[in-house]
Amino acid sequence: MVETSNAKLLRTDRDELYYHPLGDLLFRMYQWKRLRGAIKRIVRFLEPDSFVTGTTRRILSTYHAVDVGTYSYGCCLTPGYLPRGVVIGRYVSMAQEVSVFRRNHPLDRLSLHPFFYNASLGTLEMDTIESFPLEIGHDAWIGQAARITPGCRRIGVGAVVGTGSVVTRDVPDFAIVGGSPAKIIKFRFSAETCDRILDSQWWEKSKHECIQHMKDMTTSLNDSESHPFL
């Protein structure tokens, strides 16, 4: 059993996350699949603050190959819900019933059935269709019941995916997309402001650092002459 994590997204997380004293034991017990349902319930009880639950994130990364940054929340924190290879940044808001698909059925083969491409069903030694990774950038917002298909490999920093949207291609930083298939409706800010936000990398700051500037964090950038993080 080897623990993995995405250093780019999670490098500052250890000091911000909460690990219950029993977390390490529960993490190790999670390797027994019959116990997983009970362990998930116990971890939720012991670490109820989903924004900073460390044991859940450790389980996700090691056993499910899904990395979730600090303060991100939603269905992404349910172990086994998202497919392997999904990486989620910090401060991401993910609503319920979001579906993520990382591969399609093979249209050019005799059969479309997963017996012939999915090794987990026991009919093959190895998968015969590639599963594509997905990165969801920091501070993105994924709306209720959005569908993310294999054609999308990246949802950008600060991007918004509308409720019920079907995302078939990459979403640029700070873009608002919606519809089926999802199309760009507009960008949240001007190109200059987007560049300033990306350069600032404010999402690497802790919640406590941000709270010290609550007035600025709760004011529209359009109404503010300056921001301490930009």
Side-chain angles (χ1 to χ4, degrees):
M1 180 177 64
V2 179
E3 290 191 58
T4 62
S5 66
N6 186 291
K8 177 182 176 183
L9 294 178
L10 307 180
R11 61 179 178 271
T12 63
D13 280 2
R14 290 293 303 189
D15 293 337
E16 299 167 80
L17 296 176
Y18 170 69
Y19 294 86
H20 190 274
L22 293 177
D24 187 64
L25 174 62
L26 293 167
F27 165 77
R28 297 184 182 282
M29 292 175 63
Y30 193 83
Q31 63 186 297
W32 291 292
K33 293 185 178 180
R34 290 184 178 180
L35 300 178
R36 289 186 175 182
I39 290 172
K40 285 189 279 189
R41 290 191 294 271
I42 294 171
V43 171
R44 282 197 299 268
F45 176 77
L46 296 177
E47 299 179 11
D49 188 345
S50 61
F51 298 118
V52 294
T53 170
T55 302
T56 296
R57 285 171 168 80
R58 191 180 177 197
I59 286 172
L60 283 166
S61 181
T62 302
Y63 294 99
H64 299 282
V66 172
D67 284 327
V68 181
T70 303
Y71 311 123
S72 295
Y73 68 95
C75 61
C76 57
L77 285 173
T78 301
Y81 184 81
L82 294 179
R84 302 174 69 84
V86 176
V87 177
I88 298 172
R90 294 161 60 89
Y91 291 97
V92 170
S93 302
M94 182 176 287
Q96 298 303 312
E97 300 178 28
V98 173
S99 298
V100 176
F101 305 98
R102 303 321 305 146
R103 59 184 175 183
N104 288 314
H105 293 257
L107 302 181
D108 60 340
R109 298 183 186 179
L110 175 64
S111 175
L112 297 167
H113 200 280
F115 278 161
F116 310 111
Y117 67 80
N118 189 343
S120 68
L121 299 179
T123 53
L124 296 164
E125 292 185 3
M126 297 179 60
D127 287 354
T128 62
I129 291 180
E130 182 180 3
S131 182
F132 298 107
L134 171 67
E135 177 184 327
I136 299 178
H138 307 288
D139 201 43
W141 172 21
I142 314 299
Q144 182 87 7
R147 303 288 185 264
I148 303 171
T149 72
C152 175
R153 310 286 182 86
R154 180 178 184 272
I155 294 175
V157 172
V160 177
V161 175
T163 298
S165 298
V166 178
V167 184
T168 60
R169 62 185 65 184
D170 289 359
V171 178
D173 296 331
F174 305 107
I176 300 174
V177 303
S180 178
K183 297 180 180 179
I184 296 176
I185 299 171
K186 66 176 183 178
F187 285 85
R188 292 175 56 203
F189 308 108
S190 67
E192 178 184 356
T193 300
C194 290
D195 289 340
R196 289 170 59 204
I197 296 173
L198 290 174
D199 289 341
S200 77
Q201 299 188 32
W202 72 264
W203 44 83
E204 292 191 0
K205 299 182 183 299
S206 71
K207 177 186 73 172
H208 303 291
E209 291 176 278
C210 293
I211 287 175
Q212 294 177 16
H213 302 278
M214 185 61 79
K215 181 179 178 180
D216 297 288
M217 296 301 292
T218 58
T219 300
S220 169
L221 290 182
N222 298 322
D223 300 329
S224 176
E225 296 182 358
S226 64
H227 194 291
F229 294 163
L230 302 184

